[in-house]
C-alpha cells in the first residue's frame, strides 16, 4: 500500500458508509483509509475489490473508508446498479438488504443536491426511488424493515429518502396502481430539490427560523418546480408534488394557499410523509418523537392541515 497526503495531490476525500460495500468486485474508484493528520492510505485501487474477509473485519471494527470527492459520481453509478441487484437477491436477509438500499439512496440523493440541475442525477435519483418501491412491493414486511434503518438525524438528503419511503407505504395502503406509485415515489424523493438553492446557513440553522429566513425557505417549493421544468420534467404529478407539498387543507400553507380539494392528491400524500419525518427526526433544537407519538400529534393537533385518508394509511402501515 502507498501512503498519500490528499492535500498534496489536490484531492478532497469523502467518507462512504461501509455497509454499501458488499463483495470483492471493483466499485470503479480508488478506496482509502485514514492514517491520521490528513494522511490517507490507498487501500484498494479501482481495478480491484476488497476481499470479503477483510471487508468483514473492517465492518466489525468500524474502519472508515474514503473515496476521492471528484469520483463520487462514478461511485454513485456503481451504487445504482448494485441496488437493483441487491433488491432481487434472495440470499440476503431483509434487514441487510434494506440497509444497503437505504444507504445507497442517501448517497445518490446527496450527490443530486450538490448538482441539482443534472438531468443524469435526476434520472439516477428516480431509479433509486424505483428500487425502493420495487423492494417494498415485493415484500409486505419490507417497509417496517427499511423503517428500522432510517436516519433519524435530519439531513436534507436523508429526509428526501425517508419521505419517499413513507409516501410509498401510504400509496400502497391507498391501493394506488404500480404506475401511480412510481410517480408518487419520484415526486417524493425529489420533493425538496429546491432546497439545493437555499443557503446552508438557513438550512442548517441551530434553532427555529426567523420571519425573513422562513420567507426564504418557503421559496424552495417553486424553486424545485422551476429546476424540474428547466430539465424537461413532463409529469404533472411530480411537478405538483414538488410545488404543493406544503399546502394545508385550511388554506394556511404555501406557496398558493390552496384549500382542500384544490391541493393535488399526491401532494397531500407527500405532505403527510413530510410532516411525519420532520417530527421523528432529531434537530439541533428539538428531540425526535417516536413513531406512534408523532402519529398522535398529527391526528390530534393537525386537524385542518393534513388529509385524513393518507394519514390513516400511514397509521395502518405501522401495523405488522
Amino acid at each position: 500500500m502507498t501512503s498519500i497526503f490528499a492535500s498534496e495531490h489536490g484531492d478532497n476525500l469523502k467518507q462512504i458508509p461501509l455497509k454499501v460495500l458488499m463483495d470483492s468486485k471493483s466499485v470503479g474508484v480508488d478506496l482509502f483509509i485514514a492514517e491520521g493528520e490528513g494522511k490517507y492510505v490507498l487501500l484498494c485501487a479501482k481495478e480491484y475489490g476488497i476481499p470479503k474477509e477483510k471487508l468483514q473485519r473492517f465492518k466489525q471494527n468500524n474502519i472508515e473508508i474514503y473515496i476521492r470527492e471528484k469520483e463520487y459520481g462514478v461511485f454513485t453509478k456503481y451504487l445504482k446498479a448494485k441496488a437493483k441487484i441487491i433488491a432481487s437477491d434472495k440470499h440476503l436477509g431483509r434487514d441487510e438488504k434494506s440497509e444497503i438500499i437505504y444507504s445507497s439512496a442517501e448517497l445518490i440523493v446527496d450527490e443530486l443536491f450538490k448538482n441539482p440541475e443534472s438531468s443524469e442525477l435526476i434520472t439516477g435519483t428516480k431509479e433509486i426511488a424505483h428500487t425502493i418501491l420495487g423492494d417494498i412491493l415485493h415484500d409486505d414486511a419490507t417497509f417496517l424493515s427499511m423503517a428500522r434503518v432510517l436516519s433519524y438525524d435530519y439531513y436534507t438528503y436523508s429526509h428526501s429518502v425517508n419521505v419517499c419511503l413513507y409516501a410509498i407505504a401510504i400509496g400502497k395502503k391507498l391501493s394506488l396502481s404500480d404506475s401511480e406509485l412510481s410517480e408518487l415515489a419520484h415526486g417524493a424523493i425529489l420533493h425538496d430539490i429546491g432546497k439545493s438553492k437555499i443557503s446552508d446557513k438557513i438550512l442548517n440553522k441551530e434553532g427555529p427560523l426567523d420571519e425573513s429566513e422562513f420567507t426564504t425557505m418557503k421559496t424552495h417549493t417553486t424553486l424545485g418546480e422551476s429546476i424540474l421544468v428547466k430539465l424537461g420534467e413532463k409529469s404533472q404529478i411530480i411537478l405538483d408534488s414538488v410545488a404543493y407539498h406544503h399546502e394545508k387543507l385550511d388554506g394556511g400553507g404555501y406557496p398558493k394557499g390552496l384549500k382542500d380539494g384544490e391541493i393535488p392528491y399526491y401532494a397531500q400524500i407527500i405532505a403527510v410523509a413530510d410532516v411525519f419525518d420532520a417530527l421523528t427526526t432529531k434537530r439541533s433544537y428539538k428531540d425526535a418523537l417516536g413513531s406512534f407519538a408523532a402519529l398522535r400529534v398529527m391526528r390530534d393537533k393537525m386537524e385542518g392541515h393534513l388529509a385524513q385518508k393518507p394519514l390513516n394509511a400511514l397509521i395502518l402501515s405501522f401495523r405488522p
Side-chain angles (χ1 to χ4, degrees):
M1 294 191 296
T2 303
S3 294
I4 66 164
F5 284 90
S7 57
E8 288 182 359
H9 293 269
D11 291 328
N12 292 318
L13 299 188
K14 182 179 181 69
Q15 187 180 350
I16 60 171
L18 267 172
K19 62 189 74 172
V20 301
L21 301 177
M22 284 198 57
D23 52 36
S24 57
K25 294 180 182 178
S26 167
V27 299
V29 298
D30 295 334
L31 300 175
F32 302 86
I33 56 175
E35 210 176 59
E37 298 181 359
K39 191 175 183 181
Y40 297 86
V41 173
L42 178 63
L43 169 68
C44 184
K46 65 181 66 179
E47 294 84 6
Y48 306 100
I50 305 174
K52 287 185 178 181
E53 296 78 10
K54 182 180 285 189
L55 183 58
Q56 189 61 36
R57 289 201 304 273
F58 285 174
K59 289 181 178 180
Q60 289 172 349
N61 294 304
N62 295 315
I63 301 298
E64 296 177 350
I65 303 289
Y66 296 81
I67 65 173
R68 292 186 180 92
E69 199 169 78
K70 65 184 181 183
E71 294 185 319
Y72 199 59
V74 175
F75 184 66
T76 56
K77 287 182 181 179
Y78 157 80
L79 291 178
K80 285 184 291 184
K82 191 69 179 176
K84 291 180 182 178
I85 297 171
I86 294 299
S88 59
D89 190 333
K90 297 180 180 179
H91 300 291
L92 273 180
R94 184 188 294 123
D95 289 350
E96 184 180 7
K97 184 185 297 187
S98 295
E99 189 171 65
I100 294 167
I101 292 174
Y102 179 80
S103 297
S104 298
E106 279 192 308
L107 293 179
I108 290 167
V109 176
D110 184 28
E111 176 72 357
L112 171 65
F113 273 84
K114 291 179 174 64
N115 302 279
E117 292 171 349
S118 165
S119 57
E120 181 180 6
L121 289 175
I122 291 287
T123 299
T125 301
K126 288 181 178 180
E127 287 175 1
I128 197 67
H130 202 76
T131 299
I132 295 171
L133 170 61
D135 201 35
I136 292 175
L137 291 180
H138 177 73
D139 185 345
D140 285 340
T142 297
F143 166 69
L144 293 177
S145 173
M146 196 168 286
R148 285 194 291 270
V149 304
L150 298 187
S151 170
Y152 292 104
D153 288 314
Y154 185 92
Y155 301 99
T156 302
Y157 58 87
S158 57
H159 171 69
S160 297
V161 180
N162 295 358
V163 170
C164 178
L165 173 66
Y166 296 137
I168 290 170
I170 293 169
K172 187 177 178 184
K173 289 296 182 183
L174 293 174
S175 300
L176 298 185
S177 69
D178 287 357
S179 62
E180 290 169 333
L181 282 169
S182 181
E183 288 200 276
L184 174 64
H186 296 165
I189 206 165
L190 293 170
H191 80 286
D192 269 349
I193 185 67
K195 286 185 179 177
S196 63
K197 300 295 185 181
I198 306 295
S199 76
D200 287 342
K201 182 179 179 181
I202 292 177
L203 290 177
N204 301 324
K205 182 178 178 181
E206 295 189 358
L209 302 179
D210 63 30
E211 185 176 349
S212 175
E213 291 166 336
F214 185 55
T215 297
T216 299
M217 177 66 86
K218 289 194 293 185
T219 64
H220 79 272
T221 54
T222 50
L223 287 171
E225 181 185 28
S226 178
I227 289 170
L228 295 181
V229 168
K230 287 179 181 177
L231 289 174
E233 179 58 63
K234 302 299 183 185
S235 168
Q236 196 59 50
I237 286 175
I238 294 174
L239 295 174
D240 286 348
S241 297
V242 172
Y244 302 124
H245 64 276
H246 280 291
E247 298 288 0
K248 297 177 181 178
L249 297 184
D250 61 8
Y254 61 88
K256 291 188 175 180
L258 301 179
K259 293 183 179 181
D260 296 316
E262 296 174 341
I263 306 171
Y265 187 46
Y266 293 78
Q268 294 182 28
I269 294 172
I270 293 171
V272 170
D274 186 39
V275 170
F276 179 74
D277 189 62
L279 290 173
T280 54
T281 49
K282 183 179 179 181
R283 303 296 293 269
S284 60
Y285 54 89
K286 76 169 188 69
D287 291 328
L289 292 178
S291 297
F292 294 103
L295 291 170
R296 281 196 298 271
V297 168
M298 294 167 72
R299 183 194 63 195
D300 299 339
K301 298 184 179 181
M302 294 187 177
E303 186 178 357
H305 290 186
L306 301 171
Q308 195 63 45
K309 285 181 65 177
L311 178 54
N312 288 341
L314 180 59
I315 292 170
L316 291 173
S317 297
F318 281 93
R319 294 182 180 175

